[in-house]
Amino acid sequence: MTNTQGADAVDRAIAQGLDLDGSPIPVSKLSLYNKVMGFEAGRQRSGVTNTMRSRIVRIGAKHLAQAELNQMLLDAEFSPLKDKEIAFYYGGK
């Protein structure tokens, strides 16, 4: 892999069956991944903004302090962090 930045790099690597370091991903892992992603692909969606918020929280928690992420959500007119999200993403920090 030449470009290993961003989510697209991971998607490209999975499609090629190769890890980012170029080593093959075991067939059993690819099979399970594809099976679970198939479940997700068939799931009915309820709204784009809910999915956007979920992604913002999941990824933002890796990069931002709790108070900063919460304020950014509020500034963008999303609902603030929920207690269960705080416990899950920030509980062990």
Side-chain angles (χ1 to χ4, degrees), residues 49-61:
T49 57
N50 289 337
T51 300
M52 288 173 58
R53 187 192 174 283
S54 294
R55 290 178 181 176
I56 290 166
V57 170
R58 179 173 41 92
I59 295 168

Side-chain angles (χ1 to χ4, degrees), residues 1-75:
M1 297 287 306
T2 56
N3 182 358
T4 60
Q5 293 181 321
D8 290 346
V10 172
D11 291 339
R12 285 191 307 272
I14 292 168
Q16 294 173 6
L18 298 173
D19 206 326
L20 294 176
D21 65 3
S23 63
I25 299 170
V27 173
S28 61
K29 290 181 179 180
L30 281 172
S31 178
L32 177 58
Y33 177 84
N34 288 325
K35 181 177 184 173
V36 171
M37 292 303 108
F39 296 148
E40 185 66 9
R43 185 170 64 90
Q44 181 63 43
R45 302 300 175 161
S46 61
V48 173
T49 57
N50 289 337
T51 300
M52 288 173 58
R53 187 192 174 283
S54 294
R55 290 178 181 176
I56 290 166
V57 170
R58 179 173 41 92
I59 295 168
K62 296 176 187 178
H63 303 281
L64 301 165
Q66 177 185 332
E68 184 177 6
L69 178 56
N70 196 54
Q71 189 60 54
M72 292 170 107
L73 288 168
L74 292 170
D75 291 347

